[in-house]
Amino acid sequence: MRRFIIGDIHARFASMISVLKMAGFKPECDTLYSVGDICDRGEKAAETIVFLRNLPDFRPVLGNHDVWLEEYLLKGRKDDDWMKAGGLDTIDSLKNNFTESELKDIGIWLSAFPILRIEDKDIIVHGGIPAGYDEAELVGLSHIKRPSPLTSCLLENISSPQTEEEKLDAELQFFLWDRDYLFSAMKADGKQIPPKYKDRWDEKRMIPPLETERTIWSGHSQLIPEAKPFISPSYHLIALDTGAGSGKGKLTLFDMDLKEYWQEEIL
């Protein structure tokens, strides 16, 4: 059995199938992990979901685009930011291929995606590890059942959480959106922040590496125009959103144990 992890797919179905074939992925015996954002921006959301749901061993974490889709399927809300970021294409694809009952089942499927997935050798998260957490706290959070759907992308609706569920919801949001961990690692390693984010981040937000022996896998931040994964031994980090969602990057797949990777252009 081999263990693979794929970057932000964003409904790039043909590229996903191609890169899995390159690596010799065998669905009957191999495991596929995901750093989240399986839909939006590409037009093949339905095909992507069908393929991933049918895998015998698919282990995703929740991305911000998955939150938007889950919220729509379970609550009927179309987030304004989602509409600007590929949500309309996803809705069209799903409505043209699934019944209302099937759409509800997809929402329930998404509701099982955890914010953090921690196994023996790996920590998997969509955005990053926010400042102030140690590994024991992360392990604890990984075992907590999250609210479904999360009630506020970007925290805009939870400025003063009251209930315990609202407080947990607000805390978990940071793992979806965090970029400080990745950009701190890039600065520490003398790498340039991707041009897309240069004006949104400064060194005052530098945070230290997590003390861990595990590998941290993340997505969310598009590593373009280079479209290469970023690997930081000092921060125990491998970031693999190489811009498939942009339509200008590539989709990246890693063998989690060998640290070998494959990439496919957007097809």
Side-chain angles (χ1 to χ4, degrees):
M1 183 195 85
R2 299 167 72 193
R3 302 184 314 134
F4 294 94
I5 188 165
I6 195 165
D8 302 39
I9 300 166
H10 283 295
R12 306 296 185 183
F13 177 72
S15 297
M16 175 184 68
I17 296 301
S18 180
V19 78
L20 289 170
K21 287 181 178 177
M22 281 184 197
F25 174 73
K26 298 178 181 179
E28 67 275 10
C29 60
D30 294 336
T31 299
L32 181 64
Y33 293 79
S34 163
V35 293
D37 282 2
I38 62 175
C39 291
D40 301 337
R41 298 190 169 134
E43 297 178 352
K44 299 290 185 179
E47 293 88 341
T48 301
I49 286 172
V50 168
F51 178 82
L52 296 175
R53 287 189 76 191
N54 285 331
L55 289 177
D57 196 3
F58 177 55
R59 303 186 190 185
V61 294
L62 192 73
N64 55 295
H65 287 261
D66 308 317
V67 170
W68 285 323
L69 179 56
E70 180 185 347
E71 187 178 39
Y72 167 70
L73 293 175
L74 297 183
K75 297 293 183 180
R77 179 173 180 263
K78 298 178 183 178
D79 187 280
D80 290 341
D81 288 322
W82 184 42
M83 292 298 96
K84 300 171 188 175
L88 283 173
D89 284 337
T90 293
I91 290 173
D92 287 344
S93 178
L94 297 187
K95 285 197 167 183
N96 288 335
N97 287 277
F98 300 113
T99 66
E100 288 300 317
S101 176
E102 290 169 335
L103 290 174
K104 185 68 176 292
D105 286 343
I106 292 168
I108 294 170
W109 176 65
L110 290 168
S111 74
F113 286 22
I115 290 284
L116 278 168
R117 189 178 288 276
I118 300 180
E119 301 190 0
D120 288 346
K121 298 186 290 184
D122 303 285
I123 298 172
I124 304 167
V125 64
H126 180 62
I129 307 298
Y133 287 89
D134 62 29
E135 189 174 39
E137 290 171 318
L138 297 178
V139 170
L141 277 177
S142 73
H143 292 305
I144 293 174
K145 182 174 176 58
R146 69 169 175 87
S148 172
L150 292 177
T151 56
S152 168
C153 263
L154 291 173
L155 305 176
E156 59 193 9
N157 297 325
I158 304 186
S159 56
S160 301
Q162 301 297 319
T163 68
E164 289 304 312
E165 182 172 78
E166 286 176 346
K167 291 176 183 177
L168 176 62
D169 188 306
E171 179 179 9
L172 293 178
Q173 294 284 344
F174 288 104
F175 291 89
L176 292 173
W177 297 97
D178 180 81
R179 289 194 169 102
D180 290 350
Y181 196 84
L182 167 62
F183 294 164
S184 296
M186 296 184 85
K187 281 291 185 181
D189 290 1
K191 302 295 184 181
Q192 292 294 316
I193 305 299
K196 178 177 181 179
Y197 307 107
K198 270 191 173 182
D199 294 336
R200 306 188 213 172
W201 194 84
D202 63 60
E203 294 187 32
K204 294 178 182 177
R205 291 164 59 180
M206 283 282 293
I207 59 177
L210 181 73
E211 293 186 13
T212 183
E213 296 299 318
R214 293 179 167 102
T215 298
I216 302 167
W217 303 87
S218 73
H220 185 52
S221 299
Q222 296 180 358
L223 301 170
I224 51 177
E226 289 82 3
K228 294 181 180 179
F230 171 70
I231 302 173
S232 174
S234 62
Y235 273 70
H236 320 287
L237 176 67
I238 299 179
L240 61 158
D241 180 359
T242 48
S246 73
K248 301 174 183 177
K250 298 178 182 179
L251 184 59
T252 297
L253 178 77
F254 264 83
D255 182 309
M256 296 174 73
D257 298 303
L258 299 178
K259 304 299 190 289
E260 179 182 5
Y261 70 89
W262 301 261
Q263 294 187 294
E264 180 56 273
E265 305 283 348
I266 303 309
L267 302 175

